[in-house]
Amino acid sequence: MKYDKYNTPWRLVANTIFGPPKDGKLFGTMEVDVTGTEKYIWEQRKAGKKITMTSVVVAAVAQTLAYDTPEINCFIRRGKIIPRDYIDIMVPVLGRGGESMTSVKIKAAHKKSVLEIAMVLRKKALDARQGEEEDSMESKNVLSKIPWPFRKWVYLIIRFIIYGLGIKIKSLGISEHAFGSIWVTNVGTLGLTNSLPALMPAAKLPCIITMGKMEKRPIVINNKVEIRMILPAGAVFDHRIVDGVQIGKFVRGTIKRIQKPELLDELEHLD
């Protein structure tokens, strides 16, 4: 039998013994020393390149997913692991008038420079505050208008059509690709030190990453106490797709790229 790197024995068993993400979730936190990264960002901004820590993290996550752990870029359809052939990162932002939350999509994020990601984020975030949302986000407005007794049924039918049958619902602008590969959300902008997010069943995501509020903290380096800028981060993984080995590879790759942001723009090696 030909080896299927997506439908491994563990994934097939996990998909049987675990229910949707409400059961099979793995949570974790980490702290990343971004002292050098913050310096790099300020140097770039002085040169007229308006990048942010969020754009650095999005680039790091996207490239790690593409080149270190492509096997987790997938979702489950009727008990089988389906690989995604794209790497789109969803980033929650403030919506219309800054009174609600919505999300914007960075398409093919692994092929974009940090500056390109920052520019796309800035434009789409501005559009969102003016009321222009991604099609997948606008669909929530349609669903919310359905009376309560029927809303859940309609949602389950829509989810089955999209993920169970793989059919795009053009009128709602949603498909199995609508919510991207991974979400990266900066809860630090909301004043939160850190958070452990929830996996939204409708999105069929293997992982959601949160960025907390950056703070200067005393850190012991070579037996000496130094003040460093620390970025706390949280994550939740769908255990039916991701195991400990893959989490380790994903975390190490992401941290390495965040701490060496200059490498993120060496795009000549990307296909």
Side-chain angles (χ1 to χ4, degrees):
M1 180 181 295
K2 185 178 179 181
Y3 177 71
D4 185 344
K5 68 177 182 180
Y6 292 101
N7 290 277
T8 62
W10 162 248
R11 285 179 168 180
L12 294 175
V13 171
N15 189 54
T16 301
I17 63 177
F18 286 124
K22 63 183 180 181
D23 295 327
K25 292 183 289 187
L26 291 172
F27 294 94
T29 60
M30 57 185 174
E31 294 184 344
V32 185
D33 186 339
V34 293
T35 306
T37 309
E38 187 185 41
K39 180 180 178 182
Y40 174 84
I41 290 172
W42 282 112
E43 289 174 347
Q44 293 297 303
R45 293 179 75 88
K46 287 179 181 179
K49 299 179 180 180
K50 297 181 180 180
I51 65 174
T52 65
M53 188 62 72
T54 298
S55 60
V56 169
V57 173
V58 168
V61 167
Q63 290 190 26
T64 299
L65 185 63
Y67 303 108
D68 293 5
T69 56
E71 67 273 17
I72 72 174
N73 186 30
C74 51
F75 65 96
I76 295 174
R77 178 194 291 155
R78 289 187 285 180
K80 188 174 182 179
I81 307 297
I82 307 298
R84 289 185 165 102
D85 59 0
Y86 59 89
I87 295 180
D88 299 342
I89 307 297
M90 292 288 279
V91 182
V93 297
L94 290 175
R96 185 188 297 272
E99 297 296 326
S100 62
M101 295 296 295
T102 185
S103 293
V104 300
K105 183 187 294 182
I106 311 297
K107 294 184 177 181
H110 63 303
K111 295 183 179 181
K112 289 182 170 61
S113 67
V114 175
L115 179 58
E116 288 173 326
I117 289 173
M119 293 172 65
V120 172
L121 268 176
R122 190 176 301 112
K123 181 183 184 304
K124 288 197 171 187
L126 179 60
D127 291 344
R129 284 195 290 273
Q130 295 175 345
E132 298 180 25
E133 293 187 290
E134 301 274 353
D135 290 342
S136 58
M137 294 295 106
E138 289 187 349
S139 63
K140 69 179 183 295
N141 298 324
V142 176
L143 191 61
S144 66
K145 295 176 182 178
I146 298 174
W148 173 78
F150 311 107
R151 191 181 308 144
K152 180 72 171 181
W153 301 344
V154 173
Y155 159 71
L156 291 175
I157 291 172
I158 291 174
R159 190 174 70 169
F160 175 73
I161 292 173
I162 294 172
Y163 292 108
L165 302 178
I167 298 174
K168 179 179 180 179
I169 303 180
K170 294 183 179 180
S171 60
L172 295 178
I174 54 177
S175 68
E176 60 191 17
H177 311 301
F179 298 97
S181 304
I182 282 182
W183 283 22
V184 175
T185 176
N186 190 344
V187 299
T189 60
L190 305 176
L192 295 175
T193 302
N194 206 345
S195 76
L196 293 172
L199 279 174
M200 185 174 71
K204 293 280 188 175
L205 300 173
C207 174
I208 296 179
I209 304 293
T210 60
M211 302 166 54
K213 183 179 179 181
M214 293 191 299
E215 296 178 331
K216 289 184 177 180
R217 297 182 189 175
I219 303 295
V220 177
I221 300 177
N222 295 326
N223 293 322
K224 294 182 180 179
V225 177
E226 296 185 17
I227 302 301
R228 310 288 291 181
M229 183 63 74
I230 301 298
L231 170 66
V236 59
F237 298 88
D238 186 339
H239 197 15
R240 299 174 301 167
I241 295 174
V242 185
D243 61 24
V245 173
Q246 293 160 336
I247 290 174
K249 287 171 59 180
F250 180 79
V251 169
R252 288 192 298 271
T254 300
I255 291 177
K256 177 185 70 176
R257 290 176 170 87
I258 291 173
Q259 293 181 328
K260 294 183 178 180
E262 63 277 3
L263 299 180
L264 294 170
D265 290 338
E266 295 181 0
L267 299 176
E268 64 273 8
H269 68 286
L270 305 184
D271 52 22

